């Protein structure tokens, strides 16, 4: 699918869920054996046009997410290309056993899309926020985990998952008017990180909404004399170790930033690999602490957890000298 600069801008305005609906339309036109299952979320997942255009390729199973995953695995076992879509906590943790047994253990391939992950549904509380999904799904064998940086990458990830060798969990973060990281078309491959900015002092490795925030923070830090690289680690599993190797060789501090718990997500994945290296630089892990806060609006929760670009820049600047000097 060729993507114009205009489409990147349009998708940024409509948000990642609607962008997934755009990808679904493209899949419907090009994948004969496609079936998309929804857990009573066709509107929320941006699938209304898909449902009307390809009714034979769509099935709403209702608010029965565990059954949805079982149906998906059964269809996949018969050779169908299957996608499922519902809100992230129900797509992952409510269906954890079905994902483990049917997709991980039995290796039936399904692309399952977690809508509105992270903190964007914070006004509904932590029943609907999803800050644990990376940790849960990353621990299950035979499943890849992708957290797109923006809406254009959401489309690219959804299309790539159809051709990928194993099941893929696509974690959608952010809201409508989601800032665009990419403004022109680019090469996207599951498992291959993208370096967006070069630097020699610090490498920021981020995923999801935090990629844009990291680019903004890197620019702020550059004004104080720090040279900061930024990596879009859109695939958390399998993680791109070549990019981590390069960051460890060329910079003095690694910073991971994610809209997820600091336990089990991107920061943990980077640290796990770094532990196998000799003389790796220190790592600062920025994310959501091991706690549940009060419900709140998305912008307020990002502020609460220090996940705005200004707070990220301040956090890194305040700790850089100590972390680097302690490592020498």
């Amino acid at each position: 699918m060729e993507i114009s600069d205009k489409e990147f801008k349009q998708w940024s305005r409509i948000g990642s869920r609607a962008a997934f609906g755009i990808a679904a339309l493209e899949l419907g036109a090009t994948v004969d054996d496609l079936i998309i299952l929804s857990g009573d979320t066709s509107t929320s997942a941006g699938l209304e046009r898909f449902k009307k255009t390809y009714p034979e390729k769509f099935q709403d199973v209702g608010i029965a997410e565990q059954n949805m995953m079982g149906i998906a695995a059964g269809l996949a076992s018969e050779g169908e290309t299957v996608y499922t879509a519902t809100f992230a906590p129900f797509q992952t943790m409510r269906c954890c056993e079905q994902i483990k047994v049917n997709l991980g253990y039995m290796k039936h391939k399904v692309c399952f899309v977690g809508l509105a992950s992270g903190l964007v549904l914070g006004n509904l509380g932590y029943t609907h926020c999803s800050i644990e999904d990376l940790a849960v799904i990353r621990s299950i064998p035979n499943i890849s985990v992708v957290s797109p940086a923006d809406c254009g990458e959401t489309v690219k990830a959804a299309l790539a998952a159809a051709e990928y060798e194993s099941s893929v969990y696509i974690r959608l973060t952010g809201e409508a008017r989601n800032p665009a990281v990419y403004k022109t078309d680019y090469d996207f491959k599951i498992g291959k990180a993208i370096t967006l900015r070069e630097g020699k002092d610090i490498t920021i490795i981020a995923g999801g909404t935090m990629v844009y925030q990291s680019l903004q923070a890197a620019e702020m830090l550059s004004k104080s004399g720090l040279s900061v690289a930024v990596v879009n680690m859109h695939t958390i599993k399998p993680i791109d170790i070549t990019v981590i190797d390069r960051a460890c060789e060329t910079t003095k501090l690694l910073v991971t930033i994610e809209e997820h718990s600091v336990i089990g997500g991107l920061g943990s994945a980077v640290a796990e690999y770094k532990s196998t290296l000799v003389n790796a630089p220190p790592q600062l892990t920025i994310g959501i602490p091991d706690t549940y806060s009060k419900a709140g609006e998305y912008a307020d929760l990002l502020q609460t957890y220090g996940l705005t670009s200004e707070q990220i820049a301040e956090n890194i600047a305040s700790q850089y000298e100590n972390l680097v000097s302690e490592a020498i």
Side-chain angles (χ1 to χ4, degrees), residues 7 47 86 98 116 160 185 190 193 277 282 327:
E7 287 168 323
L47 293 171
T86 189
Q98 286 73 26
D185 205 0
I190 294 174
L277 305 177

Side-chain angles (χ1 to χ4, degrees), residues 15-309:
S16 60
R17 287 188 267 167
F20 170 64
I22 299 294
L25 287 170
E26 176 69 14
L27 289 165
T30 57
V31 181
D32 291 336
D33 59 1
L34 176 71
I35 297 180
I36 299 182
L37 304 178
S38 163
D40 194 31
T41 52
S42 60
T43 301
S44 298
L47 293 171
E48 284 299 312
R49 286 178 61 195
F50 178 87
K51 180 171 69 172
K52 293 174 182 177
T53 306
Y54 304 103
E56 75 284 0
K57 296 183 178 183
F58 178 82
Q59 184 65 52
D60 194 328
V61 305
I63 305 174
E65 295 87 357
Q66 292 169 319
N67 287 341
M68 178 179 70
M69 296 308 293
I71 294 167
L75 290 167
S77 74
E78 295 298 315
E80 305 293 334
T81 300
V82 188
Y83 286 65
T84 65
T86 189
F87 290 103
F90 316 134
Q91 178 71 93
T92 55
M93 285 165 284
R94 182 171 293 173
C95 301
C96 187
E97 184 179 6
Q98 286 73 26
I99 292 168
K100 170 192 170 182
V101 174
N102 295 320
L103 310 190
Y105 183 33
M106 299 179 73
K107 299 183 182 179
H108 296 311
K109 179 192 166 182
V110 175
C111 173
F112 52 115
V113 180
L115 309 174
S117 192
L119 299 168
V120 70
L121 295 183
N123 59 335
L124 298 176
Y126 284 83
T127 56
H128 284 65
C129 288
S130 193
I131 63 172
E132 319 88 351
D133 51 336
L134 293 181
V136 171
I137 302 303
R138 195 171 70 86
S139 67
I140 300 174
N142 302 313
I143 298 175
S144 294
V145 180
V146 178
S147 182
D150 63 8
C151 298
E153 195 156 82
T154 293
V155 173
K156 284 182 170 286
L159 298 179
E163 303 297 328
Y164 196 65
E165 59 190 3
S166 69
S167 290
V168 180
Y169 171 52
I170 300 180
R171 180 185 200 247
L172 303 186
T173 53
E175 54 188 347
R177 300 195 178 277
N178 197 342
V181 171
Y182 297 97
K183 296 179 173 58
T184 58
D185 205 0
Y186 65 100
D187 186 32
F188 173 90
K189 292 182 180 178
I190 294 174
K192 298 296 181 182
I194 301 172
T195 300
L196 300 172
R197 178 186 175 115
E198 298 288 349
K200 58 183 176 59
D201 294 320
I202 301 167
T203 297
I204 296 177
I205 301 174
T209 53
M210 292 297 107
V211 175
Y212 179 83
Q213 299 292 344
S214 297
L215 286 168
Q216 299 294 104
E219 184 60 29
M220 296 174 193
L221 289 165
S222 70
K223 294 176 182 177
S224 63
L226 288 172
S227 177
V228 183
V230 177
V231 172
N232 170 19
M233 190 69 78
H234 52 71
T235 305
I236 291 85
K237 182 184 179 182
I239 199 159
D240 191 341
I241 61 173
T242 60
V243 169
I244 301 174
D245 284 337
R246 182 169 182 263
C248 290
E249 292 166 0
T250 59
T251 53
K252 306 167 190 173
L253 174 68
L254 267 59
V255 181
T256 57
I257 307 176
E258 57 196 310
E259 192 180 323
H260 182 274
S261 169
V262 294
I263 297 174
L266 173 61
S268 295
V270 171
E272 287 162 14
Y273 176 68
K274 271 184 57 209
S275 70
T276 68
L277 305 177
V278 177
N279 297 324
Q283 177 177 333
L284 173 61
T285 301
I286 298 176
I288 299 167
D290 185 26
T291 185
Y292 293 122
S293 70
K294 294 180 181 179
E297 295 297 325
Y298 185 43
D300 294 335
L301 289 176
L302 290 176
Q303 187 84 26
T304 296
Y305 292 125
L307 295 177
T308 68
S309 55

